[in-house]
Amino acid sequence: MRSVALACLEDMKAEETVEIDLAGKTSIADAMIITSGRSQRHVGSIADKVIQELKSRGFGNPRVEGLPACDWVLIDAGDLLVHIFRPEVRHFYNLEKIWGADRPADRLAG
């Protein structure tokens, strides 16, 4: 599931993608991916691509929040959470700091 989501993000030119391993930190999911789109339209397009790929690959219907505004879209696929932000909104909420993604081992090239 993570590799499908990450491939979509790369295909859609998402920026500053970070993956955070949540195993042992919380029971809400095993992993979290945080990424940015350049505009509301870009955020929406990235989210649509991830949702469609997860569905077509048999990962079920993920729950989605934030699609109408596209400032911050959350895709909850059970074991995987994907957050797609506009850069200003991402900076404001700073989820990476909350979940400890500032550790070098948790960073992905982005």
Side-chain angles (χ1 to χ4, degrees):
M1 187 181 324
R2 287 180 6 217
S3 61
V4 170
L6 289 168
C8 289
L9 299 176
E10 186 175 330
D11 289 348
M12 295 299 293
K13 308 279 191 249
E15 300 175 347
E16 299 182 37
T17 300
V18 175
E19 183 178 7
I20 303 171
D21 181 8
L22 297 178
K25 294 181 184 179
T26 181
S27 61
I28 61 172
D30 293 335
M32 177 185 300
I33 298 172
I34 302 170
T35 195
S36 296
R38 294 178 300 279
S39 64
Q40 289 173 316
R41 178 173 280 175
H42 191 213
V43 168
S45 295
I46 293 167
D48 287 340
K49 174 78 170 176
V50 172
I51 293 162
Q52 291 309 314
E53 280 297 310
L54 290 174
K55 285 181 184 178
S56 72
R57 301 283 180 102
F59 292 110
N61 271 342
R63 291 180 300 277
V64 182
E65 297 288 333
L67 263 181
C70 292
D71 286 326
W72 172 7
V73 176
L74 167 61
I75 301 169
D76 180 351
D79 291 337
L80 177 67
L81 300 174
V82 181
H83 297 271
I84 308 165
F85 288 97
R86 279 191 314 104
E88 309 80 43
V89 179
R90 181 177 181 172
H91 178 72
F92 179 80
Y93 287 101
N94 201 2
L95 292 184
E96 292 94 331
K97 185 172 183 181
I98 293 170
W99 288 100
D102 53 347
R103 296 187 317 248
D106 287 343
R107 270 282 313 147
L108 287 180

